[in-house]
């Protein structure tokens, strides 16, 4: 970290905000006719994941490396993406098929040439056992079409419960789901033969429709219409061949033709499309069904089924593994594309006037025009904001603008900041605010004439008018007191338990390594306080040869015994004193026998030390506070775990910590907790400190030296600010109603007071629709963060996002963002754990998923057969994401989960970027044993594996990316080749996981892949777990597609449950 100097107005307008700190840009516009503006951007994407930027700005890339920008967004063209119906005999995205044998014609299973088959739809569906009468559920071409609604009685009996009614858990993998017959429900379909092939004619001829059908349409262009020009996000390398039963489309339109030419694509993928796979021939398998008693017959008489009952092949249902293609890097233009790439994918952002999705993501990228539309689609309106997120190498860095003492250009009515969505009028003398439409006069120093297109002539030199994210140097109106650099105070427990278990040595080693990594030019100061049943202060002034220690034993009324300034030292100016103190700490307390700890007194002393200027308190503790203010009783009762009374353990039990947290927040002090808890530590009570001061919790069941060093180093060296206020402004028709995250207090619903803020903090805002809008309206949202950098400079980070509005249901669903929606539900569920029982929260999430899919079925695909579960393409992974959330540590039932672990999982979401949160919901499982270890070969990431025990290979080696954890699972039968390449051992079967250390060769493909997986995960260190050890339980919890604890279904069972509920709602309506 380096201080950010002030430069003259003639400095370059392209200034980084990462290390080293940039100069400021500003001043009057340059003379017209000068040199062209420099090209923005960075180097081309690397072969693997990109780490956060840590060095100087990269060299610029030529303008030809960027995709063409699309004209300004208006109303999205209405589109009716008809869902693809997955049925036996139809192709399934993401599942490949072996090529035909030599000599066989390239025909499908139904005898239709691939070239003559219809194109895929934008929707996705899974074949779920329907409620049709026995026989072929699909109509034969040329025959009247039966009315599905008339033949779909509501399934009898209650649906599978999400509560306590499911069978007990089993350690064995669940068998494929076979719906059990009910005597009060219509029998499931008895499929005896494959459906008749779909007759497809050439694209120039009119399509053949089956009897009784009206001309339908999918919303795709007519074959004689010109090719579309709007770029699309995912374009498959080749159009897959789809063969199956006739499909239903929205009434009143034409049957979609076979596309003649793919539309131009903005991205240049390096491999096949992650969303469309190869051709498949059969979706499910079949098995005989036992005899079932029938209504009206004696108990000893049964009627045999006429045909076998279908089973679902788990490999044929949607899988998020298609998102994890790390062998290519996409490019995303913020205005050239309708919706951003999946958060967990590899992509580079080109800022075209909308802020990067790394900074702000919306749940919908086509906003409903009325509140009735919002209620109809059942989709949440949210903004997920990470205001200080890191940019990647190859992306344009955030520009800093300095107006040289002049006022920052803002709207006089709503106080929004100038941005690229504002429109200049009257020859450049006025501008219309993008938030409230108020006409503002342009100050004389900011005036610039307009060119013939209506744009300012100095546009290339004005980052605030060209990019969606910009940072302003704050003027005097935003400064209430002189800003100073950020101070850090370490508060370390030195009790008997901390020494005997080796925690003190681990804490000291992590602090020493972190101080060595601090920027040599930093102005920040560091201090140390220790505590057991008393509080110890240390004079580490640079004028002393050895540090001096002072002890305050009156923990009920703690005070600072010496001058506050001598408690801190700069790691560059007084490194010898700090190092000497850290070296002596373990030996100083080696004979300490104090078991009591006074954590509350130590926090009070740290608050008194920092209250004048603010700063950060980093607490290292391993035992429950038992003395002085804030002492806690062990309230853990294992009998309440897994019951409705468990929620009591997630609320704080002591008023001291909320009170001291408010004091710290008012003094602009952030508190971080590093807790190593071999036993119950009541994290729910202690976590009030970081939650209300915008801090962070780090929790370890046992000490992990490498992870502790990484976490502390990341905490101190990342971009950090304090004394911050964040405000979200919405344009006409929208307003903020709620927010989730770590913050001090709400000034209003749209304004948060933040004691500290850093590059990992994420906030979620929920919006409401206030009034009717026109489809031509462009809604605008702006997030402004006023904060003081760790170097002592006052800045304003501004993100602006402009989105179109639409009254078309299909358009709204088509550009819905799965990551924002799923992470909103997860954060809302975490907040509900303090007041609701876990079964109620799980039921709420599952019902929300059902309502969304039912709305899509009703509004966009009502004419489809009831035998198929229709999933919109943008939300095809929503069921598995919801099931994964129900199986996460936040909501998973069972007394085996410690309350502290559940509380930590809830708090960790506040510091997870959308990418990490996506991997927390559905982890990435990479089979590293499929890599080639031959030197000189290109390292290629193996395809990710579905999270099911049936797909885990004996002797395998798997990398697990799960949120802020990175694990390496080794089988006991790992081959000697990989054992030697990984650990330099002939075998790992007899070596415990705690003794295994990675020892990779620099030129090995395995080293390159593992290193890049670490870079993708923010350089997290690997934690090694082995088959058969206690840590292997974690690996079992990752396999979320299998049947979980007694109350949680498998993925296939959950899809069946969702389908039954949707059919019930359809029948009721």
């Amino acid at each position: 970290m380096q201080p950010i100097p002030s430069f003259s107005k003639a400095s370059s307008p392209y200034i980084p905000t990462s290390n080293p700190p940039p100069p400021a840009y500003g001043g009057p516009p340059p003379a017209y006719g000068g040199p062209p503006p420099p090209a923005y951007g960075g180097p081309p994407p690397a072969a693997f994941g990109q780490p956060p930027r840590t060095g100087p700005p990269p060299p610029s890339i030529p303008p030809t490396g960027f995709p063409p920008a699309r004209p300004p967004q208006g109303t999205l063209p209405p589109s009716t993406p008809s869902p693809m119906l997955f049925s036996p005999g139809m192709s399934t995205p993401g599942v490949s098929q072996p090529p035909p044998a030599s000599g066989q014609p390239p025909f499908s299973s139904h005898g239709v040439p691939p070239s003559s088959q219809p194109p895929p739809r934008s929707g996705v569906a899974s074949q779920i056992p329907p409620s049709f009468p026995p026989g072929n559920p699909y109509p034969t071409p040329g025959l009247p079409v039966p009315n599905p609604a008339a033949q779909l009685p509501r399934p009898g009996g209650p649906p599978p419960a999400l509560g306590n009614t499911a069978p007990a858990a089993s350690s064995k993998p669940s068998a494929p789901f076979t719906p059990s017959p009910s005597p009060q429900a219509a029998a499931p379909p008895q499929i005896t033969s494959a459906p008749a092939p779909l007759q497809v004619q050439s694209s120039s001829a009119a399509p053949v429709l089956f009897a009784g059908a009206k001309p339908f349409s999918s919303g795709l262009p007519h074959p004689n219409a010109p090719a579309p020009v709007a770029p699309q996000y995912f374009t498959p390398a080749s159009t897959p061949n789809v063969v199956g039963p006739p499909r239903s489309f929205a009434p009143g339109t034409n049957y979609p033709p076979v596309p003649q030419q793919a539309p131009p694509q903005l991205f240049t993928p390096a491999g096949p499309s992650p969303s469309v796979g190869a051709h498949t021939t059969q979706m499910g398998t079949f098995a005989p069904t036992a005899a079932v008693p029938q209504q009206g017959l004696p108990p000893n008489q049964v009627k045999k089924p006429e045909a076998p009952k279908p089973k679902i092949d788990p490999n044929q249902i949607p899988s998020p593994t298609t998102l994890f293609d790390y062998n290519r890097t996409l490019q995303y233009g913020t205005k050239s594309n309708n919706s951003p790439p999946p958060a967990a994918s590899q992509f580079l952002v080109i800022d075209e006037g909308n802020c990067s999705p790394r900074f702000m993501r919306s749940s919908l990228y086509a906003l409903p025009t009325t509140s009735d539309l919002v209620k109809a689609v059942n989709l949440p309106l949210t903004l997920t904001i990470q205001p200080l997120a890191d940019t990647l190498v190859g992306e344009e860095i955030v520009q800093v603008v300095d107006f040289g003492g002049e006022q920052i250009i803002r709207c006089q009515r709503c106080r929004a900041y100038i941005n690229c969505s504002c429109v200049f009028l009257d020859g450049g003398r006025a501008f219309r605010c993008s938030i409230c439409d108020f006409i503002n006069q342009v100050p004389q120093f900011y005036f610039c004439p307009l060119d013939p297109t209506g744009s300012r002539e100095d546009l290339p030199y004005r980052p605030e008018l060209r990019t969606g994210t910009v940072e302003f140097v704050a003027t005097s109106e935003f400064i209430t007191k002189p800003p100073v650099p950020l101070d850090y105070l370490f508060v370390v427990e030195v009790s008997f338990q901390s020494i005997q278990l080796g925690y003190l040595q681990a804490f000291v080693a992590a602090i020493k390594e972190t101080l060595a990594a601090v920027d040599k030019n930093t102005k920040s100061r560091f201090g140390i306080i220790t505590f057991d049943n008393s509080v110890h202060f240390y004079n580490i002034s640079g004028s002393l040869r050895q540090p001096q220690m002072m002890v305050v034993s009156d923990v009920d009324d703690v005070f600072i015994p010496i001058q506050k300034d001598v408690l801190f030292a700069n790691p560059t100016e007084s490194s010898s004193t700090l190092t000497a103190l850290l070296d002596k700490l373990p030996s100083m307390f080696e004979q300490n026998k104090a078991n009591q700890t006074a954590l509350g007194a130590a926090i009070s002393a740290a608050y008194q030390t920092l209250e004048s200027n603010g700063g950060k308190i980093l607490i290292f503790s391993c035992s429950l506070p038992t003395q002085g203010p804030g002492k806690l009783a062990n309230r853990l009762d294992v009998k309440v775990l897994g019951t409705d009374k468990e929620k009591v353990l997630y609320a704080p039990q002591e008023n001291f910590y909320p009170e001291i947290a408010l004091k710290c927040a008012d003094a602009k002090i952030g508190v971080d907790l590093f807790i190593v808890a071999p036993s119950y530590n009541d994290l729910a009570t202690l976590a009030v400190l970081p939650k209300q001061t915008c801090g962070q919790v780090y929790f370890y069941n046992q000490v992990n030296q490498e992870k502790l060093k990484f976490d502390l180093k990341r905490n101190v060296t990342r971009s950090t600010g304090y004394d911050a206020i964040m405000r979200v402004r919405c344009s006409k028709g929208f307003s903020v109603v709620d927010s989730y995250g770590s913050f001090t207090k709400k000034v209003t619903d749209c304004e948060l007071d933040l004691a500290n803020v850093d590059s990992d903090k994420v906030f979620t805002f929920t919006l409401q629709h206030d009034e009717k809008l026109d489809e031509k309206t462009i809604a605008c949202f702006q997030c402004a963060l006023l904060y003081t950098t760790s170097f002592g400079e006052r800045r304003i980070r501004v993100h602006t996002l402009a989105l179109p509005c639409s009254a078309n249901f299909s358009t709204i669903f088509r550009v819905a963002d799965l990551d924002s929606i799923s992470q909103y539900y997860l954060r809302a569920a975490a907040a509900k754990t303090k007041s609701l029982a876990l079964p109620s929260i799980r039921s709420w999430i599952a019902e929300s998923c059902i309502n969304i899919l039912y709305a899509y079925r009703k509004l966009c695909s009502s004419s489809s057969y009831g035998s198929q579960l229709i999933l919109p393409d943008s939300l095809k992974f929503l069921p598995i994401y919801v099931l994964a959330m129900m199986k996460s540590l936040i909501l998973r039932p069972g007394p085996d989960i410690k309350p502290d672990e559940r509380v930590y999982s809830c708090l960790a979401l506040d510091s997870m970027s959308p990418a990490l949160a996506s991997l927390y919901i559905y982890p990435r499982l990479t089979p590293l044993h499929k890599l080639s270890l031959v030197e000189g070969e290109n390292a290629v990431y193996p395809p990710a594996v579905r999270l099911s025990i049936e797909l885990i290979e004996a002797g395998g080696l798997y990398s697990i990316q799960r949120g802020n954890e990175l694990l390496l699972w080794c089988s006991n039968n790992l081959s000697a080749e990989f054992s030697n390449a990984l650990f330099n051992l002939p075998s790992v079967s007899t070596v415990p996981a705690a003794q295994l250390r990675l020892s990779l060769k620099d030129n090995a493909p395995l080293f390159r892949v593992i290193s890049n997986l670490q870079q993708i995960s923010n350089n997290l260190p690997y934690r090694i777990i082995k088959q058969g050890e206690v840590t292997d339980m974690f690996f079992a919890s990752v396999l979320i597609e299998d049947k979980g604890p007694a109350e949680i279904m498998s993925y296939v069972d959950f899809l069946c449950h969702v389908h039954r509920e949707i059919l019930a709602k359809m029948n009721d309506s």
Side-chain angles (χ1 to χ4, degrees):
M1 298 186 293
Q2 299 179 359
I4 300 181
S6 298
F7 283 75
S8 64
K9 302 177 183 178
S11 59
S12 171
Y14 300 99
I15 302 171
T17 55
S18 58
N19 297 330
Y25 163 83
Y32 308 128
Y40 68 97
F48 297 101
Q50 304 289 351
R53 179 186 306 279
T54 57
S60 60
I61 61 178
T64 56
F66 294 99
R70 197 174 62 176
Q73 284 184 323
T75 304
L76 288 177
S79 174
T80 309
S82 299
M84 183 185 300
L85 309 181
F86 285 1
S87 307
M90 295 186 62
S91 67
T92 305
V95 181
S96 61
Q97 174 189 354
S102 60
Q104 294 182 356
F107 274 49
S108 69
S109 61
H110 297 294
V112 181
S115 60
S116 64
Q117 298 174 16
R121 308 288 173 230
S122 60
V124 175
S126 295
Q127 176 70 16
I128 301 301
S131 298
F132 271 108
N136 189 350
Y138 304 108
T140 303
L143 297 179
V145 182
N147 182 7
Q151 304 183 39
L152 287 176
R154 179 170 181 173
L162 298 176
N164 303 321
T165 60
S170 174
S171 60
K172 299 180 180 179
S174 59
F177 176 75
T178 303
S180 58
S182 173
Q184 300 178 0
Q190 311 300 327
I191 300 178
T192 57
S193 62
L198 180 64
Q199 302 297 329
V200 181
Q201 301 200 8
S202 63
S203 59
S204 60
V208 178
L209 303 179
F210 51 86
K214 298 180 180 180
F216 292 163
S217 169
S218 67
L220 296 178
H222 191 273
N224 297 328
V229 296
Q232 62 181 15
Y233 169 50
F234 285 128
T235 300
S238 61
T239 302
N241 303 314
V242 180
V243 177
R247 290 168 289 184
S248 301
F249 306 99
T253 50
N254 298 322
Y255 192 89
V258 177
Q260 299 298 313
Q261 183 178 0
Q265 56 178 346
L266 176 61
F267 307 107
T268 307
S273 170
S275 59
V276 179
H279 188 74
T280 56
T281 58
Q282 185 71 20
M283 181 186 143
T285 58
F286 298 89
T289 306
V292 180
Q294 304 295 313
Q295 291 185 358
L297 296 176
N300 59 345
Q301 297 185 21
V302 294
K303 184 178 180 180
K304 295 183 179 181
E306 299 179 1
K309 191 178 297 184
K311 289 185 178 180
I312 299 174
D313 183 2
N315 294 323
Q316 302 272 350
I317 53 183
S319 171
T321 56
T322 56
L323 303 176
F324 304 137
D325 186 0
Y326 290 165
N327 292 306
R328 62 176 185 162
T329 300
L330 306 173
Q331 287 186 342
Y332 170 71
T334 57
K335 281 193 174 180
S336 300
N337 300 93
N338 293 331
S339 56
S345 62
Q346 289 297 102
F347 63 94
L348 295 178
V349 178
I350 303 172
D351 192 334
E352 300 172 338
N354 266 349
C355 68
S356 166
R358 304 192 197 282
F359 297 122
M360 186 189 305
R361 294 181 80 102
S362 174
S363 60
L364 299 177
Y365 280 80
L367 301 174
T369 55
T370 65
S371 58
D372 292 337
L373 289 179
V374 176
K375 296 177 182 178
V377 298
N378 285 320
L379 292 170
L381 280 176
T382 68
L383 293 175
T384 302
I385 302 176
Q386 190 178 358
L388 297 180
D390 294 320
T391 57
L392 300 187
V393 175
E395 295 179 348
E396 182 180 11
I397 53 181
V398 178
Q399 309 300 319
V400 178
V401 177
D402 186 4
F403 285 104
E406 300 285 351
Q407 63 177 353
I408 299 176
I409 308 300
R410 305 176 67 185
C411 176
Q412 298 300 312
R413 177 194 287 174
C414 68
R415 308 302 294 164
Y417 295 86
I418 189 72
N419 58 80
C420 51
S421 296
C422 294
V423 178
F424 284 87
L425 309 169
D426 192 19
R429 297 179 181 85
F431 71 92
R432 178 185 290 112
C433 176
S434 60
I435 301 295
C436 66
D437 292 336
F438 183 73
I439 306 299
N440 297 266
Q441 296 301 313
V442 175
Q444 184 62 34
F445 79 92
Y446 198 70
F447 170 76
C448 179
L450 306 182
D451 62 17
T453 64
S455 301
R456 287 172 58 112
E457 295 183 358
D458 65 344
L459 183 63
Y461 301 94
R462 290 292 184 184
E464 70 274 17
L465 302 178
R466 182 179 53 82
T467 61
T469 296
V470 72
E471 189 160 279
F472 297 101
V473 176
T475 56
S476 57
E477 62 179 310
F478 299 99
I479 301 175
T480 56
K481 62 178 181 180
V484 296
L486 189 65
D487 290 335
Y488 295 82
L489 185 59
F490 300 113
V491 180
V492 183
E493 179 181 336
V494 292
S495 65
F496 175 78
Q497 179 176 347
S498 175
I499 297 168
Q500 292 300 312
L501 297 179
Y503 298 157
L504 177 58
Q505 292 86 340
F507 295 155
V508 169
I511 294 174
K512 290 174 63 176
E513 188 167 317
T514 299
L515 292 177
V518 172
D519 196 310
K520 301 303 180 182
N521 296 321
T522 183
K523 297 295 182 66
S524 296
R525 301 180 303 168
F526 295 82
I528 299 176
I529 291 177
T530 59
F531 71 96
D532 44 21
N533 56 0
S534 56
V535 183
H536 320 125
F537 301 86
Y538 301 91
N539 184 347
I540 54 176
S541 173
S543 59
L544 300 176
R545 293 185 177 180
Q546 295 293 333
Q548 296 178 349
M549 175 181 175
M550 283 144 285
V551 180
V552 175
S553 56
D554 186 1
V555 294
D556 292 321
D557 187 18
V558 69
F559 62 94
I560 310 299
I562 55 176
Q563 188 179 358
K564 297 179 182 180
D565 289 341
V566 300
L567 296 175
F568 295 94
N570 184 276
T572 302
E573 300 172 357
S574 303
S575 60
S576 58
T577 308
L578 274 171
T579 303
L581 174 59
L582 291 171
D583 290 339
K584 287 186 176 181
L585 277 182
S587 59
M588 287 170 57
F589 296 96
E590 185 177 6
Q591 303 300 322
N592 189 11
K593 302 299 181 182
N595 282 321
Q596 305 294 320
T597 57
L599 176 60
I603 296 174
S604 297
Y607 161 72
Q608 296 177 36
T609 305
L610 294 172
E611 65 177 331
S612 58
N613 293 325
K616 289 196 69 173
I617 301 175
L618 296 92
I619 300 174
F620 300 84
S621 178
C622 62
S623 57
L624 195 69
T626 55
Q627 188 171 346
K631 63 181 179 180
L632 301 175
N634 190 336
R635 56 173 176 167
L636 177 62
D637 184 1
V638 294
K639 296 180 180 179
V640 304
L641 298 181
T643 67
D644 291 346
K645 296 182 180 180
E646 184 179 357
K647 61 185 179 183
V648 178
L649 299 175
Y650 306 129
Q653 64 164 310
E654 174 65 40
N655 293 329
F656 169 80
Y657 294 98
E659 293 172 357
I660 193 66
L662 289 177
K663 291 182 180 179
C664 290
D666 291 339
K668 311 306 177 186
I669 301 172
V671 181
D672 295 334
L673 290 179
F674 293 80
I675 303 294
V676 180
S679 58
Y680 180 65
N681 211 49
D682 201 354
L683 189 59
T685 299
L686 300 179
V688 176
L689 287 164
K691 186 70 174 179
Q692 294 191 7
T693 61
C694 202
Q696 188 168 347
V697 175
Y698 303 88
F699 180 79
Y700 315 89
N701 280 315
Q702 57 185 0
V703 65
N704 184 340
Q705 187 69 62
E706 295 300 320
K707 185 67 163 60
L708 178 61
K709 290 180 179 179
F710 169 82
D711 289 339
L712 182 57
K713 188 185 300 183
R714 169 72 180 170
N715 185 294
V716 174
T717 58
R718 65 190 174 187
S719 298
T720 304
Y722 70 100
D723 191 9
I725 295 178
M726 186 168 69
R727 184 179 181 89
V728 176
R729 294 179 172 88
C730 307
S731 60
K732 178 183 178 181
F734 300 94
S735 60
V736 177
V737 294
D738 203 359
S739 54
Y740 300 93
S742 295
F743 49 82
T744 304
K745 58 184 177 182
K746 295 182 182 179
V747 180
T748 61
D749 286 335
C750 60
E751 186 171 322
L752 304 180
D753 190 4
L754 309 176
N756 271 202
V757 63
D758 55 68
S759 58
D760 292 333
K761 289 298 178 293
V762 180
F763 307 89
T764 298
F765 294 84
T766 58
L767 311 176
Q768 73 177 7
H769 209 295
D770 296 331
E771 57 183 280
K772 184 177 181 180
L773 300 175
D774 187 83
E775 286 196 70
K776 298 181 180 179
T777 302
I778 299 297
C780 193
F781 304 93
Q782 187 178 86
C783 170
L785 176 70
L786 172 65
Y787 71 107
T788 302
T789 69
S790 58
F791 310 108
E793 296 187 354
R794 201 73 169 151
R795 296 289 181 87
I796 306 170
R797 177 73 65 93
V798 178
H799 308 287
T800 306
L801 179 64
L803 300 174
C805 296
S806 176
N808 184 279
F809 292 116
S810 297
T811 299
I812 295 172
F813 275 101
R814 178 166 54 87
V815 291
D817 185 62
L818 174 64
D819 293 303
S820 297
I821 293 172
S822 58
Q823 291 169 29
Y824 156 72
Y825 282 119
L826 186 59
R827 289 186 168 93
K832 293 177 183 289
T833 54
K834 297 180 182 179
S835 57
L836 295 178
L838 297 181
S840 300
I841 303 175
R842 292 194 296 270
S843 298
W844 170 72
I845 291 183
E847 187 65 23
S848 299
C849 171
I850 293 169
N851 290 337
I852 291 173
L853 299 181
Y854 164 68
Y856 180 79
R857 176 66 176 267
K858 178 181 178 181
L859 301 174
C860 304
S861 187
S862 59
S863 59
S864 300
Y865 294 112
S867 61
Q868 292 147 334
L869 173 61
I870 311 300
L871 302 175
D873 187 67
S874 61
L875 301 177
K876 60 187 175 184
F877 304 132
L878 182 61
I880 183 58
Y881 273 41
V882 168
L883 181 65
M885 287 186 274
M886 296 164 61
K887 293 186 177 183
S888 67
L889 282 177
I890 298 176
L891 299 177
R892 193 175 73 209
D896 59 310
I897 302 178
K898 299 178 181 179
D900 285 347
E901 293 178 345
R902 199 183 299 276
V903 172
Y904 167 68
S905 299
C906 295
L907 296 171
L909 293 175
D910 296 339
S911 299
M912 282 188 192
S913 65
L916 292 180
S918 178
L919 291 173
Y920 176 81
I921 295 174
Y922 192 93
R924 186 186 198 274
L925 191 63
T926 306
L928 297 180
H929 57 275
K930 294 186 178 180
L931 279 172
S932 172
L933 300 184
V934 178
E935 294 290 342
E937 291 189 4
N938 293 329
V940 178
Y941 292 100
V945 178
R946 301 181 69 134
L947 303 180
S948 174
I949 189 64
E950 297 179 356
L951 301 178
I952 303 302
E953 300 179 11
L957 175 69
Y958 293 90
S959 170
I960 307 170
Q961 295 169 270
R962 184 177 183 178
N964 52 11
E965 293 180 293
L966 191 60
L967 302 103
L968 194 65
W969 184 85
C970 299
S971 170
N972 288 328
N973 300 324
L974 186 64
S975 67
E977 182 183 18
F978 276 89
S979 298
N980 182 60
L982 271 175
F983 310 109
N984 198 21
L985 295 173
S987 174
V988 298
S989 58
T990 60
V991 182
Q995 299 179 13
L996 292 176
R997 295 291 183 272
L998 291 178
S999 178
L1000 300 170
K1001 299 178 182 179
D1002 293 346
N1003 60 346
L1006 185 61
F1007 170 80
R1008 293 196 294 270
V1009 169
I1010 287 182
S1011 299
N1012 283 281
L1013 285 174
Q1014 288 181 291
Q1015 291 179 1
I1016 293 171
S1017 301
N1018 288 343
N1019 293 313
L1020 282 168
Y1022 266 104
R1023 180 163 69 96
I1024 301 173
I1025 56 179
K1026 267 192 63 181
Q1027 179 184 8
E1029 296 189 2
V1030 177
T1031 54
D1032 195 25
M1033 296 293 295
F1034 176 86
F1035 184 66
S1037 67
V1038 172
L1039 305 177
I1040 56 180
E1041 294 196 18
D1042 297 329
K1043 186 173 179 60
E1047 305 176 22
I1048 306 297
M1049 310 174 191
S1050 67
Y1051 183 21
V1052 174
D1053 293 347
F1054 185 68
L1055 281 177
C1056 294
H1057 168 70
V1058 169
H1059 188 221
R1060 281 192 294 268
E1061 291 297 308
I1062 293 176
L1063 288 181
K1065 289 178 178 289
M1066 294 290 291
N1067 293 335
D1068 290 344
S1069 61

